[in-house]
Amino acid sequence: MSKPSKSPWVIHYDASSCNGCDIEVLSALTPGFDLERFGVINTGDPKHADVFLVTGGVNTQNISVIQQIYDQMLEPKVVIACGACACSGGVFHSCYNLIGGVDKAIPVDVYVPGCAVHPTQLIDGFIKGLEILDKKAALMSSKKKNKQISQSSGVQAIPSPEAAEHKENSLNQETPVQKEETKRGA
Amino acid sequence: MGKRSVIPFGPQHPVLPEPVHLDLAVEDEKVVKAIPQIGFIHRGLEKLTETHDYQNYVYVAERICGICSFGHSLGYCETIEQMMDVDVPMRAQKIRVMLHEISRIQSHLLWLGLTADAFGFESLFMHVWRLRENVLDIFEMTTGGRVILSINKVGGLVRDISDDVLSQVESKLVSLKDEYQQIEKTFLSNSSVKSRTVGVGVISHDQAENLGMVGPFARASHVNNDVRCLGIGGYRLLSDFVPILDTTGDCYGRIRVRCKEVVQSIDIALEMIRSLSSGSVSVDVKGPIPDGAQAVNLLEQPRGECFYYSLGNGTQYLERMRMRTPSSENLAGMVAALQGCDLADVNMIILTIDPCISCTER
Ligand code: SF4
């Protein structure tokens, strides 16, 4: 890959893992493997993080926690599922309290297998994740540029807030029957 | 007195490697009550005995917790061996004790690092984890795994460790001891470490006994509950074993107990390597477990006493497998230690108890 365009910060959450993958994630960040040399910093705040490392599968109690952390992260963001459990449920796939891999809760970009995941595998997966992060960032900025161009040239590719408001007003003026229909359609 | 308010703590929190949720009722800066809520990593492993036969369940048992992974597979295998009257060869028993003690070193180093991180001593954290990598190298050399070792089976070990590798392990342990003792000095005599830990989260001897606390947490309050003293399994082979106790009962005491236990574990592992005799490392165990056979086993995990109970039903599958893990017993002590502490000390206290939530919830 080319050079990463920024220092990616990570947030780590332990879903229902056995801890094995957690400590390997930490090992990858500490001397020995030292992901920090790529500018990676482990942060506790979802709003600062670019990469979400999840270990372990999803159960009924932590699914909302995972979704909440994911929602709090700003775009662009990448989710890496670390370990067999996070990919598919692993050895615990038949447990009564396990829903499955992390992709049952949030979209996952990179799957890193292994039980427990080896830090070198993790670094490999991480670099793949950074590529995706860069792509997502490029897509976002090109969208933004498009918007700016279209606004300045008067062509509306993406509806502006005023247009949306206008649409809403016209909806409000519809007859009650029509409203019912639109509701049902939605 | 100030207004009472509730601060949620966790499940996702920078100091917590594992999810546990606490509702902290605070008045001004003092915690008046802590209410733990668990269940974020519950998987239901005891029920897996219905779908995994007793030979395969070893691999589930060691995934109860990644930090004490070897301990759980050892405890489980010993329980089944008791039920089936299996005599494990001497060499296997000694290697088991050696690996279990090295696991303890690994676990305590991990914990010391996280503690250093909790009181904001980042470079100490990194140094301890650098040392820990050497211990993981020993695992990789001897078993092939770094965290999940998968070397135990019912009846002994899956494979032998050659004498050549063992002598390398020995020299690694000796050099580890030297390096470790420098770091230990920082933990025990650095003034900034002391200012964060001395007199914080004190648990008295009586409290520790009444709350039924286990492991280094209780030993810091001078309660001797080290199961290794009972000489169960391979531990009867130890020449002399003196548990490490402390009288202070505060966070500093807990750090001191664990610091000394690392050196003690290195010594035990070295003793085991030096007294190894050649021979086979496993016996074949076949056939179903007798109907109604029961066994109870105790094992000193890095976090304290772990209790195993199993019941057979005449098939390859166990009727019941029960583990009572140290961290679940220490939760009551944790709540007691949190009562009346400063809000800023909460993460310090939670860490010094060394909760292992994966074990607790299984
Ligand atoms: S993949 Fe294996 S080591 Fe990782 S959390 Fe799952 S069981 Fe534990």
Side-chain angles (χ1 to χ4, degrees):
Chain A
M1 69 174 282
S2 55
K3 259 201 218 147
S5 52
K6 64 184 286 194
S7 299
W9 284 20
V10 302
I11 184 168
H12 163 229
Y13 182 72
D14 171 6
S16 48
S17 84
C18 81
N19 253 345
C21 288
D22 288 318
I23 51 183
E24 289 297 62
V25 167
L26 278 179
S27 295
L29 288 164
T30 47
F33 296 95
D34 206 9
L35 255 181
E36 290 199 350
R37 71 197 136 119
F38 301 124
V40 176
I41 290 182
N42 190 8
T43 164
D45 188 347
K47 292 188 183 69
H48 293 167
D50 306 293
V51 179
F52 188 14
L53 300 174
V54 198
T55 53
V58 174
N59 69 22
T60 38
Q61 192 162 6
N62 66 27
I63 187 163
S64 59
V65 180
I66 298 174
Q67 281 163 345
Q68 202 180 356
I69 296 173
Y70 181 77
D71 290 342
Q72 283 175 359
M73 288 170 66
L74 303 182
E75 293 283 357
K77 56 193 168 189
V78 165
V79 178
I80 302 183
C82 315
C85 286
C87 293
S88 65
V91 269
F92 310 132
H93 68 97
S94 56
C95 288
Y96 59 82
N97 198 29
L98 207 80
I99 300 175
V102 179
D103 46 11
K104 294 273 190 298
I106 51 175
V108 175
D109 297 290
V110 183
Y111 295 86
V112 186
C115 177
V117 56
H118 196 283
T120 49
Q121 279 174 305
L122 202 66
I123 292 173
D124 200 23
F126 204 87
I127 288 169
K128 293 236 158 57
L130 292 190
E131 272 169 31
I132 296 175
L133 188 70
D134 276 351
K135 266 185 210 148
K136 282 188 178 176
L139 200 71
M140 273 179 72
S141 63
S142 72
K143 260 190 196 159
K144 210 166 155 195
K145 247 187 222 149
N146 270 348
K147 195 173 167 184
Q148 276 165 357
I149 293 167
S150 58
Q151 269 174 0
S152 59
S153 63
V155 186
Q156 287 183 348
I158 301 160
S160 64
E162 293 91 7
E165 219 174 84
H166 178 76
K167 220 176 173 186
E168 235 176 64
N169 284 342
S170 66
L171 260 182
N172 286 344
Q173 284 155 8
E174 280 164 358
T175 57
V177 184
Q178 271 174 328
K179 242 188 187 173
E180 275 280 319
E181 270 173 13
T182 40
K183 253 190 210 161
R184 235 183 272 141
Chain B
M1 196 180 281
K3 207 175 97 219
R4 184 178 285 206
S5 46
V6 177
I7 297 179
F9 186 94
Q12 194 273 328
H13 191 277
V15 312
L16 290 173
E18 294 172 272
V20 60
H21 180 85
L22 286 170
D23 280 323
L24 301 169
V26 291
E27 263 166 22
D28 294 335
E29 282 282 290
K30 289 264 180 255
V31 176
V32 272
K33 198 168 184 196
I35 306 158
Q37 182 199 347
I38 57 171
F40 293 96
I41 352 185
H42 177 63
R43 291 148 285 173
L45 293 185
E46 287 175 9
K47 199 173 162 58
L48 280 191
T49 48
E50 289 169 14
T51 50
H52 292 60
D53 67 32
Y54 72 93
Q55 310 257 17
N56 275 337
Y57 193 77
V58 183
Y59 303 108
V60 178
E62 67 183 355
R63 283 166 178 83
I64 291 171
C65 165
I67 308 176
C68 14
S69 157
F70 182 82
H72 279 301
S73 64
L74 175 61
Y76 170 77
C77 288
E78 280 180 354
T79 317
I80 304 298
E81 282 152 11
Q82 267 186 46
M83 275 165 74
M84 304 189 69
D85 266 335
V86 179
D87 268 334
V88 180
M90 192 55 100
R91 186 175 169 89
Q93 288 190 21
K94 285 192 173 172
I95 291 181
R96 278 176 172 184
V97 172
M98 176 197 97
L99 284 174
H100 189 45
E101 289 306 318
I102 299 178
S103 300
R104 192 187 313 280
I105 301 168
Q106 178 266 114
S107 168
H108 281 356
L109 287 181
L110 178 141
W111 175 83
L112 284 169
L114 290 179
T115 312
D117 197 29
F119 53 63
F121 207 145
E122 182 100 17
S123 56
L124 192 58
F125 164 51
M126 292 294 177
H127 271 298
V128 176
W129 276 65
R130 179 179 53 79
L131 270 191
R132 186 174 164 271
E133 281 299 322
N134 297 347
V135 183
L136 295 186
D137 285 347
I138 295 180
F139 285 146
E140 215 163 6
M141 250 159 54
T142 49
T143 66
R146 281 165 51 89
V147 178
I148 307 284
L149 306 182
S150 298
I151 195 173
N152 267 322
K153 67 171 184 181
V154 177
L157 299 178
V158 173
R159 59 164 154 159
D160 197 3
I161 301 172
S162 71
D163 290 336
D164 191 30
V165 173
L166 281 173
S167 67
Q168 284 178 35
V169 172
E170 188 181 345
S171 63
K172 274 205 169 216
L173 282 175
V174 172
S175 68
L176 178 77
K177 195 172 169 182
D178 287 346
E179 263 190 277
Y180 168 73
Q181 270 160 345
Q182 289 171 9
I183 286 185
E184 188 188 23
K185 234 180 270 165
T186 315
F187 270 107
L188 296 183
S189 52
N190 188 299
S191 60
S192 50
V193 175
K194 278 188 176 168
S195 69
R196 277 308 300 273
T197 54
V198 173
V200 174
V202 180
I203 291 274
S204 69
H205 175 83
D206 290 344
Q207 243 179 332
E209 271 190 340
N210 293 341
L211 293 171
M213 281 159 33
V214 294
F217 185 23
R219 291 201 280 280
S221 307
H222 211 272
V223 179
N224 177 17
N225 52 11
D226 200 320
V227 184
R228 285 176 287 177
C229 296
L230 300 178
I232 298 171
Y235 281 96
R236 70 176 188 285
L237 305 168
L238 292 187
S239 54
D240 66 327
F241 178 79
V242 185
I244 287 162
L245 301 175
D246 206 296
T247 48
T248 53
D250 58 0
C251 287
Y252 183 66
R254 288 168 215 146
I255 291 180
R256 192 154 55 190
V257 167
R258 291 197 178 93
C259 274
K260 287 183 184 162
E261 281 193 359
V262 173
V263 181
Q264 186 190 37
S265 292
I266 295 178
D267 289 339
I268 296 177
L270 283 175
E271 183 192 330
M272 284 296 132
I273 296 177
R274 287 173 186 154
S275 67
L276 264 184
S277 51
S278 57
S280 72
V281 289
S282 67
V283 287
D284 268 354
V285 181
K286 286 206 184 86
I289 296 169
D291 194 9
Q294 304 183 52
V296 161
N297 187 23
L298 288 174
L299 184 74
E300 183 71 21
Q301 292 273 20
R303 284 161 189 74
E305 169 203 310
C306 190
F307 167 88
Y308 299 85
Y309 166 78
S310 63
L311 172 66
N313 60 0
T315 65
Q316 295 278 354
Y317 299 89
L318 288 171
E319 181 67 30
R320 180 87 172 96
M321 183 69 217
R322 162 93 181 123
M323 302 118 192
R324 199 182 56 173
T325 52
S327 298
S328 48
E329 280 158 76
N330 279 341
L331 276 182
M334 178 173 99
V335 173
L338 283 173
Q339 221 142 33
C341 76
D342 280 338
L343 191 57
D345 291 331
V346 168
N347 51 12
M348 207 47 238
I349 294 174
I350 293 180
L351 260 185
T352 51
I353 280 135
D354 198 3
C356 176
I357 311 297
S358 299
C359 281
T360 312
E361 301 178 357
R362 297 185 288 288

